[in-house]
Amino acid sequence: MNASQKAYDQLIARLKQAALLSSCSAILEWDEQTYLPADGASHRADQLSMMAGMVHQEATSPETGDLLNELESASEWEEDSVEQANIREARHEYDRMTKLPRQLVEELSRVATLSHHAWVKARKENQFNDFLPWLEKMIGLKREQAASLGSEGQTAYDALLDEYEPGATSEMIEQAFTPLRNELVKLVSAIKESGIVPDVSLLTRKYPVAKQREFSLSAAEKIGFDFNAGRLDIAAHPFCSGIGPGDCRLTTRYDEHHFPGAFFGTLHEAGHGIYEQGLLKEYFGTPVGSSTSLGIHESQSRMWENLVGRSRPFWNCFYQSAQQQFPEALADVAQDDFYRAINDVRPSYIRVEADEVTYNLHIMLRFELEQALISGDLQPADVEAAWNEKFTSYFGITPDTPANGCLQDVHWSAGLIGYFPTYALGNMYAAHFFNAADSELGGLDDLIARGEFGPLKEWLNQKIHQHGKRYRANRLLEVVTGETLSHVPLVDQLNRKYGELYNL
Amino acid sequence: MNASQKAYDQLIARLKQAALLSSCSAILEWDEQTYLPADGASHRADQLSMMAGMVHQEATSPETGDLLNELESASEWEEDSVEQANIREARHEYDRMTKLPRQLVEELSRVATLSHHAWVKARKENQFNDFLPWLEKMIGLKREQAASLGSEGQTAYDALLDEYEPGATSEMIEQAFTPLRNELVKLVSAIKESGIVPDVSLLTRKYPVAKQREFSLSAAEKIGFDFNAGRLDIAAHPFCSGIGPGDCRLTTRYDEHHFPGAFFGTLHEAGHGIYEQGLLKEYFGTPVGSSTSLGIHESQSRMWENLVGRSRPFWNCFYQSAQQQFPEALADVAQDDFYRAINDVRPSYIRVEADEVTYNLHIMLRFELEQALISGDLQPADVEAAWNEKFTSYFGITPDTPANGCLQDVHWSAGLIGYFPTYALGNMYAAHFFNAADSELGGLDDLIARGEFGPLKEWLNQKIHQHGKRYRANRLLEVVTGETLSHVPLVDQLNRKYGELYNL
C-alpha cells in the first residue's frame, strides 16, 4: 500500500466515525419530532447540544486536517473518481466545520431544539409574538454562523446556503428564479382566466385515518421504498431522515378530512427515502455515500410526489384501488374529476399543500424574506407584517392567521436558513431528470400506468443515488442529462399539463 | 468555596456529562426495541458499541479518579449525606468501569444488539440452536467481564450480580431464597390440593387491543405515572426506560385474547416509571439521582402490579369500568370470578405471566442456571435440556417448545446475567414496604378501593424514590421500615391472600 492510500484509508475511517456519531444524533432528532414526551424537550436539547459538540470535535480534529493536506499534495486521484470526490468534499466540510467555534455549534443545536418546541406551541396557539424571542435568538446565531463561515466576496446568506446546496449562490438561484417567476405568474393568470374551477370538495370528504395510512404505505412500497429498511411515523412537520444503512425513516401527518396531505406527503418523503436507500451502504459515512445536495434531494421527492404521483397515468393505475379504499368518499367520483381536484391550481396559504404551479412562488417569498433577515434589512419583529405584505402581492390573498402565514414552516425554528430555495431548485432538477428518464426508458407514462415503477427507480439509483456526492448538483445534472440548470423543462411540463387541464 | 467543595462540583459535572451521553444510548436502545427497522440492526449495533466505548471513556477518565482520591481524603462529608453517597457510589462505579477494557465494553454492546435480534428470530421460529452461537459468544464475554471485575474471594457470578444489586451476593440471596422456596412449595401444593380451580377462560375472551391500550393507559395514569413526561409503546419484551428528566418510557405488548398480559404488564412498568419519575431532577446524572438497585426497582413494579393491581380493593374500584370497557368479555362475569381468575395459581411456562406464588420459582430456576453457566458447570449447548429438566422438577410440567422454555426471556441475549434474582428480591422488598406504608397511611385497602393512589405514590416518592442511591438497598429497607430483608412478610401476604382464595 502506498502512503497516499494509507492516508486515504485513515481519512475514510475518521469520516465514518464522525458519521456514526452523527447518525446517533439523527435518531435523537427523529425521536424529538415523533415520540418525545412534552416534558422531555429540555433534556433532549442538552443531549443534542452535547452530541453536536462531539460531532464537531470529531469532524475538526487536526489529524483530519493533516490527512487532507497530505492527500491533496498527492496527485494520483483520477478526475471524478470516488477518492477524488471524497477528498474534495471532506475538505469542504472540514473547512466549514473548523471555521465554526464548538460553542456556537452547541448553542445552535440547543436553541434549535428549544425553539422548535416554542414554534410548535406558538403555531398551535397562533401567537407569532410567543415565537418571536426564539426567532430573534436564532437569527442572531445564524448571522454569527454566517460571519464565521463566510469567505471573501461571499454574502452572509450564501455562506449559509452553501451548507444545503454546496457551490450554489443566491445570484445563481435568482437567475433561475426570475424567468421562472415570470412564466409562473403568466400561467397562474391564464388558469384564473380560464374560468375552470375544479370541485375540490371531494378531497375533504371523510377519509378514515387508518385507511389513509394503509393506502399511503402501500403506494410508498409500490414506488420502491423498502420498509424492511425503513418506517413511516407521524410528525407535525413531515420529514425523511436517513439514519444509516438499513434505517431510513419517513413521517407524515393525517387529517381525516383532507386526502392529499398524507398521501402526497408520503409519496414526497418516500421519494427522499428512495434516494437515501439508494446510497451505497459500503460508502456510508463518506461523502460519496451521502446525498449530494438538498436540491437534488428535493428533485427526487418532488418527482415522485408530482411528476409521478399527480400524473394521469398514475391514477389510471391507482384510482380503482383508491375507490375501494375510500368508498364513502370516492365511489361516486369519476377519475377525471379526482384527477382535476388533485391538480387544482389556486392561491393558497400553506406551502406544503400548494399545487405545483403556485408552489414555487411560496419558495420565492421565503427566499426573499430570509435573505433580508440575514442581511439585516428585515428584523424578526417585522416578519409577520413583511410576510403578509409580500404574500398579498404574490397571491392576491392575505393570510388570516400566523399559522397560515409566517408560522407555518418548521425551518426557521430549527435554524434551517438557506434551505428553502432548494425546494424550487429541486422542482427544476426534477423536470430535467424526468425528461431524460422518459427518453431513455422509452416513455414513462406507459410504465407508470401499468404500475411498473421499478425501471424509473432503478434508473434513478444508477444515474443519481449511487453516486452520492461524487458529483455536485450541477455537475451531476450535466453528467446525467448533458444539460445545465434551466427553468425551461419545468415550465414546459407545467404548461403542457395545465394547458390540457385548463384548456389554455 | 473550599477545595473539597470545588472538587466535588467538578466530580458532579463529570458524572452528569457521562450520564447525559449514556442517556443518548438509552434512546437508541429504546428505539432498538420499539421502532428499529429489521435491516437497521447491524448499524444500530455499531452505534451502540461506539457509544458504549465513549461512555466508558468518559466514566473512566483519570481526572475522575484524581477527584475521587482528593474527595476521599477529605473527611467533612456527613454520614448518609447526599455528598457522601455520591462519592461512595461514584467510586464504586469508577472502580468497576476502570477494571473493564474499553474493547470489551464495546464488544459486549455490539454483541448484545446483534444477539438480541438473533434471539427475537430464534424465539419466533422456536429454534434454540439458532440462538446457541450467540448465547455461547455472550456467555464467553460475560465470563471475561466477570474475570475483569472480580475481586479477591468473590465468585464470578457475584461480580456480575453487583452491577444490578450493588453489595448483594449469591450467598445472601440463597439465604433468602431457601426458606422462601420451602414456603412457596408448601403453598403451591396446598392450593393444588384445595381442588379449587378458577375459570380462567374468561381472561382469554376477546379484549380488543385498542380498548386494552386505553384501559391500561388510564390505569397507569390513575396510579400516578405522568404521561406528559413519558409514553407507552409496544415491545416484544416489555421494559421501562428512564431516559432522563421529563422522559420515561414504558412498553407493553397486546394479545387480543389475553387480558392480563398487557394490563398487569403496564401496571408493572408504570411502577418502574413512577420510581424513575420520582427521582429528583436536579440530581440527574449523579448516583443520588439514580435508582438504587434493580431489586428496589422491582419492588416498585411488583408492588403496583400485584399488591395493588391484583388486590380485591383495586377491582372494587376498577371492575365496573372494566366491564364497560370490555362488555363482550366481561358483561356476564361477576367481580369475584374475575378476581379469582386473575389470581389463579398454577404451574405455567412463562415467567412474566406467572401468578404471584409460582413466579419466584421461575426466578430461582434461572438463578441456578445462570450461576452454573458462569461458573462453567453448565455449557450453553446444554441449556435447553437443563432448563427442561429443572422446570419439570420445579413445576411438574415440561416446556413444550423453546419459546415456552429457555428462549422466553430477553435477558441472556442482552447480556443481563445476574439480573434475574433481583425480581424475587423485589417481591420480598415490596412486601416489607407495603406493610410499612399500610401501617403509616392507616390502611391501604380503603384508599385503593376508593381509587386514591396519591398517598401511596407520595409515600414511595418520599421514602424511596427521592433518595436515589443515597442508601443502598438493604440500608434503605432499614431506614424506611427498621427491618432487614426476610422472606416472612412476602410469605405472610401470600398465605393470607391465597388462604382466603383457596379456603386453606
Side-chain angles (χ1 to χ4, degrees):
Chain A
M1 193 188 292
N2 67 31
S4 301
Q5 184 63 44
K6 196 175 155 206
Y8 179 77
D9 291 347
Q10 286 174 344
L11 174 70
I12 294 300
R14 289 196 156 271
L15 297 177
K16 285 188 179 233
Q17 186 70 5
L20 188 57
L21 192 55
S22 190
S23 81
C24 297
S25 285
I27 282 288
L28 295 172
E29 284 161 0
W30 169 85
D31 181 82
E32 186 202 339
Q33 312 265 337
T34 50
Y35 295 119
L36 183 69
D39 291 356
S42 162
H43 183 65
R44 181 55 44 89
D46 291 343
Q47 291 176 312
L48 283 171
S49 168
M50 179 192 58
M51 292 290 285
M54 290 170 67
V55 169
H56 181 261
Q57 187 179 31
E58 185 74 34
T60 57
S61 79
E63 291 81 359
T64 301
D66 294 343
L67 289 169
L68 284 169
N69 290 338
E70 182 183 341
L71 288 164
E72 284 161 344
S73 67
S75 55
E76 66 225 67
W77 314 110
E78 248 177 82
E79 181 73 17
D80 279 344
S81 67
V82 166
E83 291 80 2
Q84 194 204 38
N86 274 336
I87 295 165
R88 177 191 71 226
E89 295 301 329
R91 161 62 71 192
H92 180 250
E93 184 65 7
Y94 181 78
D95 286 351
R96 275 185 67 83
M97 292 294 261
T98 47
K99 284 179 185 170
L100 295 174
R102 176 169 176 169
Q103 208 187 333
L104 176 61
V105 170
E106 290 176 350
E107 181 69 358
L108 265 166
S109 165
R110 202 183 62 79
V111 170
T113 307
L114 297 174
S115 160
H116 171 75
H117 288 267
W119 165 76
V120 168
K121 192 159 172 287
R123 178 177 174 236
K124 201 170 153 192
E125 294 171 1
N126 249 314
Q127 293 296 336
F128 175 71
N129 281 337
D130 290 354
F131 177 57
L132 179 58
W134 290 101
L135 184 61
E136 283 170 337
K137 198 181 289 267
M138 183 53 88
I139 295 297
L141 288 170
K142 295 301 286 189
R143 286 179 185 159
E144 209 181 310
Q145 187 187 23
S148 300
L149 288 173
S151 52
E152 184 91 15
Q154 190 183 35
T155 68
Y157 184 80
D158 285 358
L160 299 178
L161 173 63
D162 186 69
E163 180 176 350
Y164 309 111
E165 201 64 22
T169 64
S170 38
E171 196 184 334
M172 182 198 109
I173 290 172
E174 194 49 51
Q175 272 169 20
F177 278 12
T178 303
L180 179 61
R181 187 187 292 110
N182 294 338
E183 295 291 338
L184 292 176
V185 168
K186 265 194 274 178
L187 181 55
V188 170
S189 153
I191 287 170
K192 196 175 172 192
E193 279 161 26
S194 77
I196 296 177
V197 180
D199 172 15
V200 294
S201 72
L202 60 95
L203 299 176
T204 54
R205 292 177 175 183
K206 188 172 173 187
Y207 295 83
V209 166
K211 293 279 175 187
Q212 285 191 54
R213 177 174 154 79
E214 224 173 73
F215 194 63
S216 300
L217 277 171
S218 142
E221 194 166 13
K222 279 200 187 110
I223 66 171
F225 183 80
D226 177 2
F227 279 98
N228 286 321
R231 328 185 15 91
L232 174 66
D233 297 272
I234 294 174
H237 197 290
F239 63 96
C240 161
S241 177
I243 307 292
D247 192 359
C248 176
R249 305 189 178 196
L250 319 178
T251 58
T252 192
R253 58 184 174 206
Y254 301 95
D255 175 345
E256 189 171 65
H257 289 283
H258 189 242
F259 171 79
F263 185 75
F264 293 110
T266 303
L267 284 189
H268 178 99
E269 302 307 337
H272 283 303
I274 289 168
Y275 187 1
E276 290 289 322
Q277 292 186 333
L279 298 167
L280 297 184
K281 286 185 178 34
E282 59 270 33
Y283 291 153
F284 170 77
T286 71
V288 170
S290 315
S291 59
T292 193
S293 80
L294 289 190
I296 299 298
H297 232 308
E298 282 300 315
S299 78
Q300 303 303 293
S301 55
R302 300 285 293 174
M303 185 188 297
W304 288 106
E305 176 191 358
N306 292 325
L307 307 188
V308 177
R310 288 188 209 259
S311 72
R312 215 181 264 283
F314 184 86
W315 291 100
N316 286 342
C317 170
F318 272 83
Y319 192 62
Q320 217 177 343
S321 55
Q323 283 184 308
Q324 282 161 6
Q325 188 77 357
F326 307 106
E328 207 181 321
L330 295 179
D332 64 346
V333 175
Q335 183 183 327
D336 191 60
D337 291 335
F338 178 81
Y339 174 66
R340 285 174 184 278
I342 60 169
N343 285 298
D344 171 64
V345 175
R346 72 180 81 178
S348 63
Y349 297 136
I350 303 293
R351 175 184 61 84
V352 295
E353 290 164 7
D355 59 82
E356 285 175 90
V357 181
T358 58
Y359 183 91
N360 297 295
L361 299 173
H362 286 269
I363 296 305
M364 292 168 192
L365 175 147
R366 287 155 178 77
F367 176 55
E368 290 159 23
L369 290 181
E370 60 182 24
Q371 286 182 85
L373 274 169
I374 294 301
S375 72
D377 289 348
L378 175 64
Q379 294 312 312
D382 301 323
V383 158
E384 187 176 11
W387 181 291
N388 290 348
E389 192 192 321
K390 209 175 265 287
F391 198 92
T392 311
S393 97
Y394 267 46
F395 294 91
I397 55 175
T398 308
D400 49 353
T401 63
N404 281 334
C406 67
L407 280 185
Q408 69 182 268
D409 286 308
V410 71
H411 301 67
W412 292 344
S413 79
L416 303 174
I417 291 177
Y419 191 116
F420 279 123
T422 69
Y423 290 116
L425 290 176
N427 287 328
M428 292 189 276
Y429 284 128
H432 282 280
F433 290 138
F434 198 75
N435 287 348
D438 187 58
S439 123
E440 291 184 28
L441 296 172
L444 286 171
D445 278 7
D446 286 351
L447 288 170
I448 292 171
R450 289 199 300 272
E452 293 174 20
F453 301 105
L456 175 56
K457 183 198 161 244
E458 276 146 37
W459 188 90
L460 296 167
N461 283 157
Q462 290 300 316
K463 300 285 181 174
I464 298 172
H465 308 166
Q466 67 159 345
H467 298 303
K469 282 190 198 294
R470 184 164 169 193
Y471 309 111
R472 287 197 166 184
N474 278 337
R475 174 90 176 102
L476 179 69
L477 181 63
E478 195 190 317
V479 168
V480 176
T481 68
E483 298 166 346
T484 53
L485 184 67
S486 155
H487 67 290
V488 175
L490 174 60
V491 168
D492 283 352
Q493 281 176 5
L494 293 175
N495 282 334
R496 205 159 50 239
K497 176 173 178 180
Y498 292 93
E500 190 254 331
L501 272 164
Y502 287 90
N503 296 333
L504 306 179
Chain B
M1 192 188 296
N2 66 32
S4 300
Q5 185 63 44
K6 196 175 156 206
Y8 179 77
D9 291 347
Q10 286 173 345
L11 174 70
I12 294 300
R14 288 195 158 270
L15 297 178
K16 285 189 178 231
Q17 185 71 3
L20 188 57
L21 192 55
S22 192
S23 81
C24 297
S25 284
I27 281 289
L28 295 172
E29 284 159 2
W30 170 85
D31 181 82
E32 186 203 337
Q33 311 266 338
T34 49
Y35 294 120
L36 182 69
D39 291 356
S42 161
H43 183 66
R44 180 56 45 89
D46 291 344
Q47 292 176 311
L48 283 171
S49 168
M50 179 191 58
M51 293 290 285
M54 291 170 65
V55 169
H56 181 261
Q57 188 180 31
E58 185 75 35
T60 57
S61 78
E63 290 81 358
T64 301
D66 294 344
L67 290 168
L68 284 169
N69 290 338
E70 182 181 342
L71 289 164
E72 285 162 342
S73 67
S75 56
E76 66 225 66
W77 315 109
E78 251 178 80
E79 180 73 16
D80 280 343
S81 67
V82 167
E83 291 80 4
Q84 192 204 38
N86 274 336
I87 295 165
R88 177 190 74 225
E89 295 300 330
R91 161 61 73 191
H92 181 251
E93 184 66 6
Y94 181 77
D95 286 351
R96 275 186 66 82
M97 293 293 262
T98 47
K99 284 180 185 170
L100 294 175
R102 176 168 176 169
Q103 207 187 334
L104 176 62
V105 169
E106 289 176 352
E107 180 69 358
L108 265 166
S109 166
R110 202 183 62 81
V111 170
T113 307
L114 297 175
S115 161
H116 172 75
H117 287 268
W119 166 75
V120 169
K121 193 160 170 287
R123 179 178 174 235
K124 201 169 152 194
E125 294 169 2
N126 248 314
Q127 294 295 335
F128 175 70
N129 282 336
D130 290 354
F131 177 56
L132 179 58
W134 290 102
L135 184 61
E136 283 171 338
K137 201 181 286 266
M138 183 54 86
I139 295 297
L141 288 169
K142 294 303 285 189
R143 285 178 186 160
E144 209 181 310
Q145 189 188 21
S148 302
L149 288 172
S151 53
E152 185 92 14
Q154 190 181 36
T155 69
Y157 184 80
D158 285 359
L160 299 178
L161 173 63
D162 186 70
E163 180 175 351
Y164 310 111
E165 200 63 21
T169 65
S170 37
E171 196 185 334
M172 179 200 112
I173 290 172
E174 194 48 51
Q175 272 170 20
F177 278 13
T178 303
L180 179 62
R181 186 187 293 110
N182 294 337
E183 296 290 338
L184 293 177
V185 168
K186 265 195 274 178
L187 181 56
V188 170
S189 154
I191 287 171
K192 197 175 170 191
E193 279 161 26
S194 78
I196 296 177
V197 180
D199 172 16
V200 294
S201 71
L202 60 95
L203 299 176
T204 54
R205 292 177 176 182
K206 190 172 172 188
Y207 294 84
V209 166
K211 292 279 173 186
Q212 284 192 54
R213 178 174 154 79
E214 224 174 73
F215 194 63
S216 302
L217 278 170
S218 142
E221 194 166 14
K222 277 198 187 112
I223 66 170
F225 184 79
D226 177 2
F227 280 99
N228 287 321
R231 331 185 12 92
L232 174 65
D233 296 274
I234 293 174
H237 197 290
F239 63 98
C240 162
S241 178
I243 307 293
D247 191 359
C248 175
R249 305 190 179 196
L250 318 178
T251 57
T252 193
R253 59 182 174 207
Y254 301 95
D255 174 346
E256 190 173 62
H257 288 283
H258 190 242
F259 171 78
F263 184 75
F264 293 109
T266 302
L267 284 190
H268 178 99
E269 302 306 337
H272 283 304
I274 289 168
Y275 186 2
E276 290 290 322
Q277 292 185 335
L279 297 166
L280 297 184
K281 287 185 177 34
E282 59 270 34
Y283 290 154
F284 170 76
T286 71
V288 169
S290 315
S291 60
T292 192
S293 80
L294 289 191
I296 299 299
H297 233 307
E298 281 299 314
S299 78
Q300 304 303 291
S301 54
R302 301 284 295 173
M303 184 187 296
W304 288 106
E305 175 192 357
N306 292 324
L307 307 187
V308 176
R310 288 187 208 258
S311 73
R312 215 183 265 283
F314 184 86
W315 291 100
N316 286 343
C317 170
F318 273 84
Y319 192 63
Q320 217 177 344
S321 55
Q323 284 185 310
Q324 281 161 7
Q325 187 78 357
F326 308 107
E328 207 181 323
L330 295 179
D332 64 347
V333 175
Q335 184 183 329
D336 191 60
D337 291 334
F338 178 81
Y339 175 66
R340 285 172 185 276
I342 60 168
N343 285 298
D344 171 62
V345 175
R346 72 180 81 177
S348 63
Y349 297 135
I350 303 293
R351 173 183 62 85
V352 294
E353 290 165 7
D355 58 82
E356 284 177 90
V357 182
T358 59
Y359 183 91
N360 296 295
L361 299 174
H362 286 269
I363 296 306
M364 292 168 192
L365 176 148
R366 288 155 178 77
F367 177 53
E368 290 159 25
L369 289 181
E370 61 182 24
Q371 286 183 84
L373 274 169
I374 294 301
S375 72
D377 289 347
L378 175 65
Q379 295 311 311
D382 301 323
V383 158
E384 188 177 10
W387 182 290
N388 289 348
E389 193 192 321
K390 210 176 265 289
F391 198 91
T392 310
S393 96
Y394 267 45
F395 294 91
I397 55 174
T398 309
D400 51 352
T401 63
N404 280 334
C406 65
L407 280 184
Q408 70 182 265
D409 285 310
V410 71
H411 302 66
W412 293 343
S413 80
L416 304 173
I417 292 179
Y419 190 116
F420 278 122
T422 68
Y423 291 115
L425 290 176
N427 286 328
M428 292 188 277
Y429 284 127
H432 283 279
F433 291 138
F434 197 75
N435 287 348
D438 186 58
S439 123
E440 291 184 26
L441 295 172
L444 286 170
D445 278 7
D446 285 353
L447 289 169
I448 292 171
R450 289 199 301 271
E452 292 173 21
F453 301 105
L456 175 58
K457 184 200 158 240
E458 278 148 34
W459 188 90
L460 295 167
N461 284 157
Q462 289 300 315
K463 299 286 181 174
I464 298 173
H465 308 166
Q466 67 159 344
H467 298 303
K469 283 190 198 293
R470 184 163 169 196
Y471 309 111
R472 286 198 167 183
N474 277 337
R475 173 94 177 100
L476 178 69
L477 181 62
E478 195 189 318
V479 169
V480 176
T481 67
E483 299 166 344
T484 55
L485 183 66
S486 155
H487 66 290
V488 175
L490 174 60
V491 168
D492 283 353
Q493 281 176 4
L494 293 175
N495 282 334
R496 204 159 53 240
K497 176 173 177 181
Y498 291 94
E500 189 255 329
L501 271 163
Y502 286 91
N503 296 334
L504 308 179

